[in-house]
Amino acid sequence: MQRFIQKMITGMPATDGAGVELVRVIGQPALDMLDPFLLLDAFRSDNPDDYIAGFPPHPHRGFETVTYLLNGKMRHKDNAGHEGVIEAGGIQWMTAGRGIIHSEMPEQENGLLAGFQLWVNLPAEHKMDAPVYQEFDAAKIPQERREGAEVRVITGETSQGTRGPVVQALTEPLYLDITLEAGAEFSERIDDEHNAFIYGIEGETLVTDETGKPVTVRKDRLAILGRGDTIALQGGDQGSRLLLIAGKPLNQPVARGGPFVMNTQDEIEQAFADYRAGSF
Ligand code: CO
């Protein structure tokens, strides 16, 4: 069965870190979460004032932060001595688990910085696991070519058998960066049990509704997809670029406290206590 668009979401301007201007798409009043996805921030600016302050050291516990850069460079550093630069087309999938303190700072003083940060929840029994990184630069992300389409496969496996380098068996995420030529048709299967959305990066993408009429997903819009096991897309007049993201819902209680996401308020208080005690 084909998936149709259930709801269209517009992101909300927000400021985070030491003053980074971004658009919060998931984790805002119009879309609190889309289990297992807790947050999606989109950033795109060529004005250094919008990004130069970066994200100085801050903690995380209980979930994963996923940074995908489209343009520019970000330096990442944590309290366990892990350090690296994420460049355009690269992915950093960080499982914070029981806790990490890290900073994410632009590695540039001017020019365009653009990308996404997605937060993926962890099941209760894995929130206190040891931190793990999965990092791949652009060259390590397979590019699948189809007629009129190009797909960068970050995680999950496409119907044509291309497999992304990031592996997360707990939520089985699918994370695809799809470029469509004008009018190109594209279809992909998505596990029926998984929550899924598309996010427009450039141009317009068309998704037909139940009556066969095309619905347009514009740039900077998130379309939540309803149930089904396939999605059919078409590139608009100027072609398009979009993210297709899906994952297995955890269906567990969610307690949020700033940079911590646990199952109960007590666990949030414990996270703050542990952080203050310097035990991260
Ligand atoms: Co962070």
Side-chain angles (χ1 to χ4, degrees):
M1 195 182 102
Q2 194 131 324
R3 287 188 183 236
F4 301 113
I5 294 174
Q6 197 180 58
K7 199 175 177 191
M8 203 81 83
I9 303 285
T10 305
M12 193 180 95
T15 307
D16 209 337
V20 177
E21 301 295 329
L22 45 82
V23 174
R24 183 142 298 161
V25 191
I26 301 178
Q28 48 118 351
L31 183 57
D32 178 46
M33 65 179 284
L34 187 67
D35 193 7
F37 306 112
L38 301 161
L39 175 142
L40 177 68
D41 283 343
F43 47 94
R44 169 181 292 274
S45 178
D46 55 9
N47 177 1
D49 292 344
D50 288 344
Y51 61 71
I52 206 77
F55 301 86
H58 59 277
H60 291 296
R61 173 180 280 180
F63 61 100
E64 308 185 286
T65 69
V66 176
T67 305
Y68 182 46
L69 271 197
L70 302 179
N71 302 87
K73 290 181 188 183
M74 292 279 275
R75 177 170 293 274
H76 172 267
K77 215 186 263 195
D78 77 11
N79 62 326
H82 187 97
E83 183 172 355
V85 176
I86 311 168
E87 300 198 35
I91 187 90
Q92 183 199 59
W93 198 288
M94 182 184 86
T95 306
R98 66 173 169 251
I100 209 137
I101 302 169
H102 74 163
S103 61
E104 299 150 288
M105 302 298 288
E107 184 83 347
Q108 62 189 57
E109 284 168 356
N110 50 55
L112 179 62
L113 183 71
F116 298 95
Q117 186 163 98
L118 178 71
W119 289 9
V120 186
N121 207 0
L122 288 169
E125 57 278 26
H126 289 280
K127 283 184 177 288
M128 296 299 276
D129 285 359
V132 178
Y133 287 93
Q134 299 186 68
E135 289 171 303
F136 299 95
D137 59 26
K140 298 265 169 49
I141 296 175
Q143 206 145 314
E144 181 181 287
R145 280 166 204 284
R146 302 189 196 178
E147 201 182 330
E150 209 169 84
V151 189
R152 306 189 73 235
V153 184
I154 292 160
T155 182
E157 187 177 350
T158 70
S159 49
Q160 318 230 327
T162 308
R163 202 185 286 249
V166 174
V167 177
Q168 177 46 286
L170 300 172
T171 44
E172 300 166 26
L174 177 73
Y175 195 131
L176 306 179
D177 174 354
I178 303 169
T179 302
L180 299 177
E181 288 173 15
E185 290 184 359
F186 176 91
S187 75
E188 192 46 72
R189 64 172 187 226
I190 302 173
D191 192 310
D192 185 43
E193 305 293 311
H194 291 191
N195 284 327
F197 66 88
I198 62 180
Y199 186 84
I201 300 175
E202 282 165 25
E204 295 181 346
T205 304
L206 308 176
V207 184
T208 53
D209 68 10
E210 291 89 330
T211 67
K213 267 202 272 172
V215 177
T216 303
V217 181
R218 297 190 166 77
K219 177 179 182 312
D220 303 332
R221 294 286 156 79
L222 181 149
I224 302 174
L225 303 177
R227 295 261 80 92
D229 57 13
T230 54
I231 180 70
L233 308 171
Q234 194 181 8
D237 290 345
Q238 312 294 320
S240 68
R241 184 176 181 187
L242 66 142
L243 298 180
L244 169 59
I245 295 178
K248 182 178 161 188
L250 298 174
N251 297 309
Q252 291 178 347
V254 172
R256 292 181 191 247
F260 308 127
V261 183
M262 303 299 289
N263 301 104
T264 68
Q265 200 51 42
D266 280 357
E267 290 166 345
I268 293 293
E269 279 157 34
Q270 189 61 50
F272 278 105
D274 290 349
Y275 176 54
R276 278 194 298 263
S279 61
F280 263 50

